[in-house]
């Protein structure tokens, strides 16, 4: 009898505790008839209801009723704490300010370090605008803009409340985030390798955008996704691979993505030197403006002479040893002269420049120009 009373007391206390919180578990039947508890919330519920209703009128209807609501900064501010709670429920660990800022720089480079045309800055979030679009398109949910929460330290696409909030009744709701948002944040900020595996299978466009648009090259598996896109191009367009390897950052400084150069070196074979030859063609585009309309940013125009010479140095550093190693085995796919030979003939000041800069500490390049006795 004493045991029954004890169970009854625990049950009553448990119910009282649940009623005094904003988070209330409800039971649902999962696979194999296993009962699972789903968390329910009431925080900011009145504002959420209003904005869900307003957001339902962002587009005109099939019946011809015109759109009557414009998405605003306030819509994002309402969504951010709800997304943060949903991420927390899925095991996302929020970083400290310094760690988050460091992670953002590793992912997006210096694009957020100053005001520029590619970013909109707000008090509670910043928006990175997808390449090719204007700041006026910030809240267009058909565009892959990236919203960076300053307070809660995560990223999202345009957060439409109806996409991740589900009302069970009029008094509470559950948070159901898209798996891509969860995995993007857990991989990029928590280094979750299981979430990287999910993204590699289900979110390849986003991963390739990290490499091509923002210069995130720290993960070889993601680099492979991006580089395979260039291997699929025809020979005339393959040299555009140089645009993601040699880039001007948000501060206008040349950055060289050595991980991608190493990828090309590692994937050059006796019977396949396509991307290496594409880099050879890219060096010619540095010094000639002919047929450069294939590039989004013309290398002939955007780089100074010193920057062009540095780019040649890094290309030659992988090209020369590979040509020495592989050309005897399959000479038909190699030109008669090397990149370095051609560029030394093209740019008479190149050799002195490379010596002056100690060959940028590139060993294979130094070996070519100052072979050991």
């Amino acid at each position: 009898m004493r045991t029954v009373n004890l169970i009854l007391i625990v049950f009553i206390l448990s119910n009282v505790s649940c009623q005094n919180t904003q988070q209330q578990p409800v039971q649902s039947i999962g696979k194999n008839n296993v009962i699972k508890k789903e968390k329910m919330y009431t925080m900011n519920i009145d504002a959420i209801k209003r904005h869900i209703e307003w957001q339902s009128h962002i587009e005109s209807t099939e019946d011809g009723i015109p759109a009557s609501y414009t998405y605003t900064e306030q819509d994002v501010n309402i969504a951010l704490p709800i997304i943060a709670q949903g991420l927390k429920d899925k095991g996302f660990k929020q970083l400290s300010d310094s760690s988050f800022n460091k992670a953002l720089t590793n992912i997006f480079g210096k694009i957020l370090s100053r005001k520029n045309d590619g970013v909109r800055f707000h008090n509670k979030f910043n928006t990175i605008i997808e390449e090719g679009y204007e700041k006026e398109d910030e809240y267009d949910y058909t565009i892959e803009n990236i919203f960076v929460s300053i307070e809660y330290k995560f990223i999202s696409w345009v957060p439409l409340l109806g996409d991740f909030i589900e009302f069970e009744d009029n008094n509470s709701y559950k948070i159901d985030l898209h798996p891509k948002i969860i995995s993007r944040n857990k991989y990029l900020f928590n280094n979750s390798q299981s979430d990287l595996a999910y993204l590699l299978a289900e979110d390849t466009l986003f991963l390739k955008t990290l490499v091509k648009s923002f210069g995130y090259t720290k993960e070889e598996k993601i680099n492979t996704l991006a580089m395979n896109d260039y291997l699929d191009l025809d020979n005339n367009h393959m040299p555009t691979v140089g645009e993601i390897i040699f880039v001007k950052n948000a501060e206008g400084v040349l950055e060289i993505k050595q991980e991608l150069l190493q990828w090309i070196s590692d994937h050059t074979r006796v019977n396949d030197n396509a991307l290496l030859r594409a880099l050879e063609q890219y060096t010619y585009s540095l010094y000639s403006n002919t047929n450069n309309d294939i590039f989004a940013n013309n290398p002939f125009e955007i780089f100074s002479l010193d920057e062009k010479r540095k780019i040649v140095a890094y290309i030659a550093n992988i090209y020369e040893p590979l040509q020495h190693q592989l050309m005897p085995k399959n000479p038909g796919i190699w030109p008669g002269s090397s990149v370095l030979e051609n560029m030394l003939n093209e740019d008479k000041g190149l050799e002195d420049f490379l010596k002056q800069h100690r060959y940028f500490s590139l060993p294979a390049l130094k070996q070519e120009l100052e072979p050991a006795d």
Side-chain angles (χ1 to χ4, degrees):
M1 189 69 178
R2 184 179 302 170
T3 302
V4 173
N5 290 336
L6 180 59
I7 292 174
L8 181 60
I9 291 171
V10 171
F11 177 79
I12 293 171
L13 290 176
S14 176
N15 275 320
V16 170
S17 175
C18 287
Q19 291 171 1
N20 289 331
T21 66
Q22 288 189 346
Q23 178 179 308
Q24 304 175 21
V26 297
Q27 293 183 345
S28 62
I29 305 299
K31 293 181 178 180
N32 301 320
N33 294 323
V34 175
I35 297 176
K36 61 178 182 178
K37 292 183 178 181
E38 294 181 327
K39 296 178 179 179
M40 303 300 296
Y41 297 93
T42 60
M43 54 184 175
N44 211 14
I45 191 167
D46 291 333
I48 288 172
K49 287 179 180 178
R50 288 195 303 271
H51 280 261
I52 286 180
E53 170 60 25
W54 292 342
Q55 288 176 17
S56 69
H57 301 287
I58 289 176
E59 282 191 341
S60 58
T61 68
E62 294 180 357
D63 299 331
I65 300 175
S68 58
Y69 184 71
T70 300
Y71 193 99
T72 68
E73 178 180 353
Q74 186 180 14
D75 289 276
V76 181
N77 290 336
I78 290 174
L80 294 179
I82 310 302
I83 297 174
Q85 182 62 54
L87 287 171
K88 181 180 179 181
D89 292 343
K90 294 298 183 180
F92 174 69
K93 296 177 176 61
Q94 183 176 306
L95 299 181
S96 65
D97 288 344
S98 59
S99 295
F100 183 64
N101 290 334
K102 182 179 179 180
L104 288 178
T105 301
N106 288 336
I107 299 163
F108 301 113
K110 297 184 177 181
I111 192 171
L112 291 164
S113 64
R114 66 172 189 164
K115 294 187 177 181
N116 57 71
D117 291 339
V119 179
R120 288 293 301 271
F121 293 85
H122 303 269
N123 290 331
K124 295 185 177 182
F125 65 93
N126 299 320
T127 311
I128 302 173
I129 308 297
E130 184 181 355
E131 284 187 334
Y133 292 92
E134 305 295 331
K135 290 192 291 185
E136 292 73 19
D137 298 316
E138 179 177 11
Y139 302 124
D140 186 336
Y141 58 89
T142 67
I143 298 173
E144 286 292 326
N145 296 333
I146 297 173
F147 290 74
V148 181
S149 171
I150 298 170
E151 180 179 2
Y152 299 106
K153 301 173 183 61
F154 65 84
I155 63 172
S156 175
W157 52 68
V158 179
L160 294 173
L161 294 172
D163 287 346
F164 58 89
I165 290 177
E166 296 182 13
F167 280 90
E168 291 292 316
D169 51 49
N170 199 42
N171 301 313
S172 62
Y173 60 84
K174 66 180 180 179
I175 304 169
D176 185 18
L177 297 179
H178 195 290
K180 289 182 181 179
I181 287 183
I182 298 168
S183 289
R184 289 181 185 185
N185 285 285
K186 291 181 72 175
Y187 165 63
L188 291 173
F189 302 114
N190 294 166
N191 194 31
S192 169
Q193 294 303 299
S194 60
D195 286 283
L196 171 59
Y198 170 83
L199 295 172
L200 288 167
E202 302 293 339
D203 203 10
T204 56
L205 182 59
F206 172 74
L207 294 181
K208 289 188 284 190
T209 298
L210 292 180
V211 177
K212 296 178 181 181
S213 297
F214 304 115
Y216 178 77
T217 58
K218 305 304 181 185
E219 171 54 57
E220 185 176 4
K221 293 175 182 177
I222 302 177
N223 292 344
T224 297
L225 283 178
M227 299 302 275
N228 282 341
D229 277 357
Y230 291 93
L231 281 171
D232 290 337
L233 297 176
D234 61 68
N235 291 336
N236 291 331
H237 291 84
M238 201 177 292
T240 57
V241 69
E243 291 192 285
I244 67 169
I245 300 175
F246 308 102
V247 298
K248 290 287 190 76
N249 65 21
E251 297 177 343
V253 177
L254 170 65
E255 289 186 359
I256 298 175
K257 302 301 179 181
Q258 296 188 56
E259 294 91 349
L260 299 183
L261 283 175
Q262 188 61 49
W263 192 97
I264 292 177
S265 178
D266 292 342
H267 291 80
T268 298
R269 304 285 186 264
V270 172
N271 297 317
D272 184 3
N273 64 355
L275 281 181
L276 194 66
R277 293 295 306 278
L279 287 182
E280 177 187 15
Q281 296 299 316
Y282 185 79
T283 62
Y284 303 149
S285 299
L286 293 168
Y287 288 86
S288 172
N289 201 23
T290 304
N291 298 324
N292 282 8
D293 56 343
I294 63 171
F295 299 104
N297 297 292
N298 188 345
F300 179 81
E301 296 176 350
I302 67 171
F303 296 117
S304 67
L305 179 59
D306 285 355
E307 289 170 334
K308 293 176 182 181
R309 289 169 171 173
K310 185 174 182 179
I311 292 170
V312 170
Y314 274 80
I315 292 176
N317 187 64
I318 67 167
Y319 188 101
E320 304 301 312
L322 286 170
Q323 185 180 41
H324 293 322
Q325 176 188 352
L326 301 177
M327 184 177 178
K329 301 175 183 179
N330 189 1
I333 66 172
W334 295 89
S337 56
S338 72
V339 163
L340 187 57
E341 290 172 332
N342 291 331
M343 291 301 102
L344 290 173
N345 287 328
E346 176 70 29
D347 182 354
K348 299 303 182 184
L350 176 60
E351 185 168 1
D352 288 340
F353 175 85
L354 296 177
K355 289 180 179 179
Q356 178 185 353
H357 288 81
R358 300 181 183 275
Y359 308 104
F360 297 101
S361 300
L362 299 170
L365 178 65
K366 181 178 180 180
Q367 177 63 28
E368 286 296 317
L369 293 173
E370 291 187 1
D373 295 333

